[in-house]
Amino acid sequence: MKKSPAKLPLKRKFIAVLIAAILPGFGHMYLGLAQRGIQFIAVLLLDIAALFYFTSKGIQINVPLLILLALMIPVIYFYNVYDVLQSTDWINDHIKALIPKYKRRKSFAGVRGISFGLVLMAEGLLICMFLVRPYWLRNIVSFWGGYIIAVVCIVIGVGLLAFQMVRIYRTIQKHKSSATSQAVGGASNDR
């Protein structure tokens, strides 16, 4: 039997942030957002495993990649704390408004259902590959790593450029349609 929303206790922000600061991901679990907490834990473990993989012997060291992976750890950590702060306010607002905790906005909930399991399986496989260090992966990283990163950056740049162009085009079309409707509306009022 579920508790009624009126009887749900408010979550304490200090406790949530303290737990999140000590163990990233567990602050979300305190708030009842287990999937989101598991996502933070999995991403942090994946980053640490990749960092160990790329610093291991037998692989040509790619210093910019190592710096990027090392800088991702504090970024993930502090975003985790920030997200716990925001999530605490969001959950407490919904408890106060007598909205059940399990009815969340879709954009806030993140990955759900089968896709959540698939994401965890993919992250687990990546961590295992980083720990086992197969020969073919070492060759790809040492010979093609720079090219792959360059191509990914180019694709992201082209995607962002296309997104901005579509956005500008829609804004122009919106202004044209509003100007046309004002001109038509003004002409009909003159008669």
Side-chain angles (χ1 to χ4, degrees), residues 116-134:
F116 178 69
L118 292 174
V119 167
L120 283 180
M121 287 177 14
E123 288 177 354
L125 286 173
L126 282 173
I127 290 173
C128 286
M129 279 197 321
F130 289 150
L131 295 176
V132 172
R133 299 184 196 120

Side-chain angles (χ1 to χ4, degrees), residues 1 46 50 65 70 85 87 105 110 112 149 162 165 173:
M1 186 170 136
L46 182 64
L65 179 64
L85 281 168
S87 300
R105 293 180 302 198
R112 294 181 153 230
I149 291 173
M165 291 181 73
Q173 291 300 321

Side-chain angles (χ1 to χ4, degrees), residues 149-160:
I149 291 173
V151 169
V152 167
C153 289
I154 291 170
V155 168
I156 290 172
V158 168
L160 289 173

Side-chain angles (χ1 to χ4, degrees), residues 154-175:
I154 291 170
V155 168
I156 290 172
V158 168
L160 289 173
L161 179 66
F163 174 75
Q164 287 297 324
M165 291 181 73
V166 167
R167 198 168 154 199
I168 291 169
Y169 177 76
R170 287 182 181 167
T171 305
I172 292 171
Q173 291 300 321
K174 189 167 102 175
H175 288 299

Side-chain angles (χ1 to χ4, degrees), residues 128-143:
C128 286
M129 279 197 321
F130 289 150
L131 295 176
V132 172
R133 299 184 196 120
Y135 180 74
W136 61 270
L137 185 61
R138 283 184 277 165
N139 284 339
I140 289 174
V141 169
S142 63
F143 296 123

Side-chain angles (χ1 to χ4, degrees), residues 64-142:
L65 179 64
L66 292 177
I67 292 171
L68 179 67
L69 288 173
L71 288 176
M72 286 304 296
I73 293 173
V75 168
I76 294 167
Y77 176 81
F78 287 114
Y79 181 72
N80 167 56
V81 173
Y82 169 78
D83 193 51
V84 164
L85 281 168
Q86 300 301 314
S87 300
T88 306
D89 290 338
W90 185 83
I91 286 177
N92 286 339
D93 288 344
H94 280 74
I95 291 172
K96 289 176 187 174
L98 302 177
I99 296 174
K101 189 168 73 172
Y102 57 88
K103 288 188 180 177
R104 294 189 190 103
R105 293 180 302 198
K106 196 168 193 164
S107 62
F108 182 82
V111 183
R112 294 181 153 230
I114 294 174
S115 56
F116 178 69
L118 292 174
V119 167
L120 283 180
M121 287 177 14
E123 288 177 354
L125 286 173
L126 282 173
I127 290 173
C128 286
M129 279 197 321
F130 289 150
L131 295 176
V132 172
R133 299 184 196 120
Y135 180 74
W136 61 270
L137 185 61
R138 283 184 277 165
N139 284 339
I140 289 174
V141 169
S142 63

